[in-house]
Amino acid sequence: MAAQITDKHRIVVIGGGPGGYESAIAGAQLGADVTLIERTGVGGSAVLTDVVPSKALIASAEAAVSIQDADELGIQFFVRDDKENARRPEVAVNLGKLNQRLLRMAQNQSDDIRRQLKDAGVRIIEGHGRIVADGEVSVTAGTAGEEFDHVEYDTLVVSVGASPRELDSAKPDGERILTWKQLYDLETLPEHLIVVGSGVTGAEFASAYKSLGAEVSLVSSRDRVLPGEDTDAADVIEEVFTRNGMNVLSKTRAESVVRDGDEVVATLSDGTEVRGSHCLMAVGSIPNTADLGLETIGVKTTDSGHIVVNRVARTSIPNVYAAGDCSDFFPLASVASTQGRTAVFHALGDQVHPISRRNVASNVFTYPEIATVGWQEKDVKEQLRSGRVYKLDLAGNPRAKMQGFRDGFVKLIAGNNLGTIIGGVIVAPRASELLLALSIAIEQRLTVDEVAESWAVYPSLSGSIVDAARAMHRPTD
């Protein structure tokens, strides 16, 4: 059936992830007639199979670490046997129950977003959206691909996300060889999890499963884990991994991963075979842009299939925008949300603040976390930006000592002249929460002296940010 004719500006959103539902809500708030098309569930993979469940898994892993480290803080757990003798209890992980909680939480979040969209007046259609002409999208549903709706638009926002990349030499079977979407089907903790890929996804799951008690081998093709992160930060994480018993295999690739009964065998580029009970393939993702009809109206894409966008999320076609992991911008849920809102604001003539890549904050949810924003030390070394760098280890922070935490640091990057803060890295528990102060400092162009004048609670981990700023003070001429 055809969409109802209206005098309102018609916005169609394909994809219900963070970029999609944020753009839909923003459009409804500005008085547009908004239709959201989603084929797998409101919230997209970010809510249902990626960010929400994975970070909830990591929260459970952190709880396990807290129990394991309690003895260092003078807290001990004992149970009594039948002869009233004190025995150390065994910390057990019920992975089936844990995963049920994660998926239930993800579904609840999806339901909450759906209600929010409905309350805002957004029309939701379940199915696969495809561009059939300029200004028109068809919707199909079911395995037969039965076409049941056509929706016209004045503005189109594409936010279809991405899916785990699969290799023919290591084909996931959903039982022993897994993508990150399939991990939540496990009922028992893997005896030995082989993680192929040491980027953010691989490092996060390796960290979490090691904390939960599994034996973990991490296969990294680079000379260190997290090759895209600050070098000092990545070194801290790798040191923690190895100290905790993780087998980190650097400078080698997994040429193949095959199943051998109840085991998996990963054959590495140096000929080594690694046997485990399960294998997680974390080798990147591919955008879900196939069969969207982008070529029908001439939307420009990269060789990898990502949609090319500018700083207001606009594509090569003026009334078409793209947000999230399907675009060639940063693959972060927070970026997708901002792109979605920015796209609608721009399309409807509202006030727009183009997104600055340099100011985007990101976080790696390992233990400890790595939080990053702005220009980095490597940029200064490569002379992409002039500046000075100061690093303050958290080992001397009193709050860190109280919590029994010794791994981490605060690193500030400031301009040479005025001392304006232009970047920073924090490695610490809950670094994602601490980073906001640096993000605000960068957005507001604060100097190290201005941050140094801020009051930090004593004792606190955030006090190290102020201490680092004080250490960067230069006397006035």
Side-chain angles (χ1 to χ4, degrees):
M1 64 179 180
Q4 182 178 357
I5 299 176
T6 175
D7 292 333
K8 292 183 177 181
H9 189 98
R10 299 165 301 177
I11 297 177
V12 171
V13 181
I14 303 178
Y21 67 72
E22 287 282 0
S23 62
I25 291 172
Q29 289 174 337
L30 294 178
D33 175 35
V34 184
T35 300
L36 174 67
I37 304 168
E38 170 56 48
R39 63 181 178 182
T40 59
V42 173
S45 61
V47 169
L48 294 170
T49 59
D50 192 355
V51 180
V52 170
S54 68
K55 276 42 176 182
L57 173 72
I58 290 167
S60 295
E62 290 176 353
V65 170
S66 297
I67 294 172
Q68 295 164 11
D69 294 345
D71 187 71
E72 183 179 339
L73 303 181
I75 306 299
Q76 297 178 325
F77 299 89
F78 290 99
V79 294
R80 299 287 180 179
D81 61 18
D82 55 0
K83 295 182 180 180
E84 293 299 309
N85 295 316
R87 304 291 186 190
R88 284 290 183 93
E90 181 179 335
V91 177
V93 175
N94 186 332
L95 192 66
K97 182 177 181 180
L98 192 159
N99 281 336
Q100 288 174 13
R101 173 180 178 269
L102 305 185
L103 296 178
R104 184 170 60 250
M105 182 186 306
Q107 187 58 56
N108 289 341
Q109 181 69 13
S110 176
D111 294 341
D112 287 344
I113 296 170
R114 177 179 286 273
R115 282 192 292 271
Q116 188 178 3
L117 289 165
K118 288 286 189 180
D119 290 345
V122 175
R123 177 191 181 201
I124 301 174
I125 301 177
E126 296 179 359
H128 173 70
R130 191 178 191 280
I131 304 166
V132 292
D134 183 17
E136 186 177 354
V137 171
S138 70
V139 184
T140 57
T143 55
E146 181 182 355
E147 189 172 301
F148 70 91
D149 213 340
H150 275 254
V151 188
E152 296 179 349
Y153 65 83
D154 299 306
T155 295
L156 175 66
V157 180
V158 179
S159 184
V160 292
S163 297
R165 181 169 170 246
E166 297 184 6
L167 304 179
D168 291 336
S169 59
K171 207 68 175 175
D173 62 7
E175 295 180 355
R176 295 285 173 175
I177 305 175
L178 310 161
T179 69
W180 66 78
K181 288 186 176 184
Q182 298 166 334
L183 281 172
Y184 309 110
D185 295 329
L186 295 177
E187 291 292 330
T188 58
L189 192 68
E191 293 180 15
H192 181 184
L193 178 65
I194 302 170
V195 179
V196 177
S198 64
V200 174
T201 300
E204 287 184 345
F205 279 113
S207 177
Y209 274 89
K210 184 60 187 174
S211 297
L212 290 172
E215 181 183 351
V216 176
S217 293
L218 179 61
V219 180
S220 172
S221 62
R222 308 290 283 274
D223 57 355
R224 60 181 174 86
V225 302
L226 295 167
E229 300 299 317
D230 175 86
T231 301
D232 291 334
D235 286 345
V236 169
I237 299 303
E238 186 162 345
E239 181 182 344
V240 172
F241 282 0
T242 55
R243 188 175 69 223
N244 290 342
M246 188 184 299
N247 181 24
V248 179
L249 302 164
S250 302
K251 300 181 181 179
T252 184
R253 293 181 179 276
E255 296 292 343
S256 68
V257 181
V258 296
R259 184 169 175 174
D260 183 13
D262 290 337
E263 291 186 319
V264 292
V265 181
T267 303
L268 308 185
S269 54
D270 61 2
T272 302
E273 285 190 354
V274 181
R275 285 185 172 268
S277 62
H278 298 77
C279 179
L280 167 64
M281 297 300 298
V283 289
S285 59
I286 55 174
N288 298 323
T289 53
D291 195 32
L292 279 181
L294 296 172
E295 68 285 350
T296 302
I297 57 174
V299 174
K300 184 178 179 180
T301 60
T302 66
D303 292 340
S304 61
H306 292 86
I307 302 172
V308 178
V309 296
N310 62 13
R311 291 176 59 198
V312 295
R314 198 179 199 178
T315 73
S316 56
I317 304 302
N319 65 331
V320 179
Y321 298 78
D325 292 7
C326 66
S327 76
D328 65 344
F329 217 68
F330 284 162
L332 298 171
S334 57
V335 171
S337 299
T338 300
Q339 282 183 299
R341 293 191 299 271
T342 301
V344 169
F345 294 159
H346 185 266
L348 296 180
D350 200 20
Q351 184 177 8
V352 176
H353 297 284
I355 303 170
S356 172
R357 285 176 176 263
R358 189 55 57 188
N359 292 1
V360 172
S362 63
N363 195 74
V364 182
F365 289 87
T366 47
Y367 188 84
E369 296 177 1
I370 302 175
T372 308
V373 65
W375 293 91
Q376 296 299 295
E377 184 174 6
K378 68 176 182 179
D379 299 322
V380 175
K381 289 182 177 179
E382 294 172 2
Q383 298 183 338
L384 299 176
R385 178 66 159 85
S386 62
R388 50 197 172 100
V389 181
Y390 184 81
K391 176 187 169 189
L392 178 65
D393 288 333
L394 288 182
N397 180 283
R399 188 65 181 273
K401 293 177 181 177
M402 295 171 191
Q403 295 176 334
F405 181 75
R406 59 184 181 275
D407 302 295
F409 59 82
V410 169
K411 180 184 288 186
L412 297 186
I413 297 95
N416 283 324
N417 298 326
L418 300 176
T420 304
I421 294 178
I422 58 174
V425 182
I426 300 176
V427 180
R430 301 290 191 275
S432 50
E433 305 293 344
L434 295 171
L435 190 70
L436 180 60
L438 293 186
S439 291
I440 293 174
I442 291 171
E443 287 290 344
Q444 299 302 314
R445 304 181 186 277
L446 301 182
T447 66
V448 290
D449 288 338
E450 289 171 327
V451 171
E453 292 172 359
S454 303
W455 289 92
V457 171
Y458 181 88
S460 66
L461 292 180
S462 60
S464 286
I465 298 175
V466 175
D467 290 341
R470 288 172 179 166
M472 297 186 78
H473 171 72
R474 283 183 174 177
T476 56
D477 296 331

